[in-house]
Amino acid sequence: WLTGLTALLGVAASTLPPAGVAVAAPRAGAVPGAAGPVSGQPVTGTPSFPASTQPAERVRQLVECGGVMYAVGHFTVVQQGGRTYRRNNAFSFSATAPFTMTGWNPGTNGMVDTIAFNSGHCSRAYLGGNFTKVAGRQAGHLAEVSTTGTGSLIGAFRHSANREVETLASYQNHVLAGGYFTSINGSSSDPYLASLNAVTGRDDGLLHLHISGHMTYPGVAANDTKIYNQQISHSGRLDLVEGDFTTVAGKRRHQVFMVNLASRPRATLTGWTSPRFDGRAGYPPHGYYYNCARGEPFYIRAGAWSPDDSTVYLASTGYRPWNYRSGLPLRGMCDTASAFSASQRHPQLKWINYTGCDSLYSVAADASAVYFAGHERYSDNPDGCDALGPGGIADPGMEGLVPATGQLLLAGQQPRYTRARGLGADDMLVTSAGLWIASDNYLGAQSCGGVAGLAGICFLPYAP
């Protein structure tokens, strides 16, 4: 989190982790079975943003479908192969060298936060975000567009949410939409997270979770109920969901929950949760520091599944707990990379790695590494806040961690991965070819792995 937040509230003593939970020792879309870890040397020639623009340009999400990469976010100018292209918040290009740009340009009038395809069918894409027009036609925060030509709006799919759509995913001809909305395509039955028919866009009732509430504690900044992110397991049965809420399906859930999509007639909430973030055990001395800085009440921003779906990895922001006053080492889950068992009953924290009060926004995993990214400066840093503490390691922009322990992956004596920090990487995607990282050009950020000219997109390949 930004250094300026040090002026925020004091902090209080924490309990030590219970036996069997590892704190990474100071010094450490996924594809099951993929070789790894990925190279720390990026491939050049991928599309990029100019080194500096006003305002900053950013990619919010990257998705591959049918050998084509799709990028969405907030931008107008994309460079590739020595040419400059005008693209309004969405573009596509070949997933393999020379990464040739396509003519796809559906052209929204605002941020596109998310893109999804219906069960691998690549001829049409679903877009969600903070826009009111797509391809020159009215579309309120949601749309289905063709991926051929420039990307025309498909009118048969309803395209009207009353507020921003932050995340889209696909499950067996259902489009799972999450965001700030309380009404979507004419239905108010499932605010914040709804399942839509992939053809008509109507609410099909698969998700009926009664999501409500928002973070409340002394002095907390105003915050609205929302669903922000989601990740479907490799088995396709479970959906991990992050956002700002306190109750799901009548149960206490804060920050993150898990849904069984395969149950019928409706998807059901699972038992997966932890007092480390849902607060049901209270604060220390008997519980945990489960709320972060007053200015950052929603802090678990992204999750990822291990290739075998046995472990869930979480990336968080939040600075440090609002009521933690004992200094260092850091406690709680604010500004951390963490791993939990995916067990539906009594999931356990496996390890936690502290950045030292800097944000992580994205995470992806393969069999050999867990990759986290944000605008962090350090890793393995529980004894520093806005500074490198004893035993911590300078590792800006992204990190690769050992799946079993959470320790930093090194190349010799140096971190294996680095990236210009910018605003922070919003998304990472593991494919059979390697790791794709979505980023921005804030304050001239453009390097990845020490290579310049990669503002917006970095691709780290697997060894051939």
Side-chain angles (χ1 to χ4, degrees):
W1 188 244
L2 298 175
T3 304
L5 281 181
T6 53
L8 291 174
L9 342 174
V11 283
S14 170
T15 54
L16 291 172
V21 172
V23 174
R27 11 154 233 127
V31 176
V38 298
S39 170
Q41 185 71 17
V43 174
T44 57
T46 50
S48 65
F49 299 141
S52 182
T53 58
Q54 290 294 333
E57 298 197 326
R58 63 193 296 199
V59 174
R60 291 278 286 118
Q61 189 176 17
L62 287 164
V63 172
E64 181 182 12
C65 197
V68 177
M69 294 298 302
Y70 294 83
V72 298
H74 193 257
F75 44 79
T76 58
V77 179
V78 181
Q79 301 171 331
Q80 196 278 326
R83 296 181 57 187
T84 297
Y85 299 83
R86 301 292 298 187
R87 296 289 186 269
N88 291 325
N89 309 315
F91 68 90
S92 65
F93 60 98
S94 173
T96 56
F99 308 109
T100 305
M101 291 280 289
T102 75
W104 190 67
N105 182 22
T108 70
N109 66 343
M111 173 89 79
V112 181
D113 294 303
T114 181
I115 179 170
F117 293 87
N118 176 25
S119 303
H121 299 295
C122 303
S123 63
R124 299 179 175 190
Y126 302 91
L127 305 179
N130 192 21
F131 52 80
T132 58
K133 288 186 177 181
V134 176
R137 297 173 60 185
Q138 295 294 321
H141 312 294
L142 175 70
E144 183 184 23
V145 297
S146 170
T147 58
T148 60
T150 57
S152 59
L153 182 70
I154 296 172
F157 183 86
R158 291 191 170 200
H159 41 271
S160 179
N162 66 338
R163 294 185 69 187
E164 188 169 2
V165 174
E166 293 267 15
T167 176
L168 295 172
S170 169
Y171 170 73
Q172 294 184 355
N173 295 316
H174 304 273
V175 178
L176 312 183
Y180 287 92
F181 60 83
T182 55
S183 174
I184 189 165
N185 289 345
S187 173
S188 301
S189 298
D190 300 303
Y192 315 115
L193 184 63
S195 174
L196 309 177
N197 180 282
V199 175
T200 67
R202 293 180 181 274
D203 188 329
D204 59 28
L206 178 68
L207 296 174
H208 195 54
L209 295 171
H210 303 288
I211 296 164
S212 64
H214 58 89
M215 300 299 108
T216 58
Y217 48 97
V220 66
N223 60 102
D224 292 339
T225 309
K226 66 180 177 183
I227 296 300
Y228 180 77
N229 212 341
Q230 62 182 319
Q231 305 82 35
I232 294 178
S233 64
H234 301 297
S235 72
R237 297 175 59 88
L238 300 170
D239 192 15
L240 188 69
V241 183
E242 299 85 42
D244 190 335
F245 44 77
T246 57
T247 302
V248 179
K251 303 293 185 180
R252 184 184 185 113
R253 295 291 188 274
H254 292 193
Q255 305 284 336
V256 59
F257 63 88
M258 192 182 293
V259 173
N260 181 356
L261 297 172
S263 62
R264 290 295 182 271
R266 290 192 175 105
T268 55
L269 182 72
T270 75
W272 186 90
T273 188
S274 170
R276 291 179 177 274
F277 46 78
D278 71 19
R280 69 179 184 271
Y283 291 118
H286 303 296
Y288 304 93
Y289 290 105
Y290 60 91
N291 282 322
C292 293
R294 292 183 173 113
E296 197 68 39
F298 163 53
Y299 58 89
I300 298 180
R301 296 297 182 90
W305 297 84
S306 63
D308 64 359
D309 287 342
S310 67
T311 302
V312 165
Y313 305 106
L314 301 177
S316 74
T317 181
Y319 194 58
R320 59 184 179 184
W322 70 279
N323 56 346
Y324 171 51
R325 296 184 173 84
S326 67
L328 300 170
L330 295 166
R331 302 297 183 201
M333 290 187 61
C334 315
D335 283 350
T336 62
S338 62
F340 285 81
S341 64
S343 168
Q344 301 304 298
R345 305 185 73 178
H346 310 298
Q348 298 298 308
L349 175 67
K350 294 185 174 183
W351 50 257
I352 192 163
N353 185 312
Y354 288 89
T355 64
C357 302
D358 280 339
S359 299
L360 296 172
Y361 297 132
S362 57
V363 54
D366 59 27
S368 300
V370 193
Y371 310 98
F372 290 86
H375 64 220
E376 80 282 9
R377 291 165 287 179
Y378 315 114
S379 183
D380 290 350
N381 197 36
D383 292 306
C385 184
D386 286 325
L388 185 61
I393 294 180
D395 189 13
M398 71 170 293
E399 60 187 8
L401 306 183
V402 177
T405 65
Q407 289 185 311
L408 184 67
L409 284 168
L410 301 175
Q413 298 301 310
Q414 299 300 316
R416 186 179 179 92
Y417 308 104
T418 61
R419 190 190 61 81
R421 296 170 66 215
L423 292 169
D426 279 343
D427 187 37
M428 291 195 290
L429 173 69
V430 172
T431 70
S432 59
L435 174 68
W436 294 87
I437 305 161
S439 63
D440 58 83
N441 65 353
Y442 180 66
L443 296 180
Q446 60 164 315
S447 66
C448 182
V451 177
L454 299 175
I457 294 175
C458 176
F459 173 51
L460 301 177
Y462 287 117

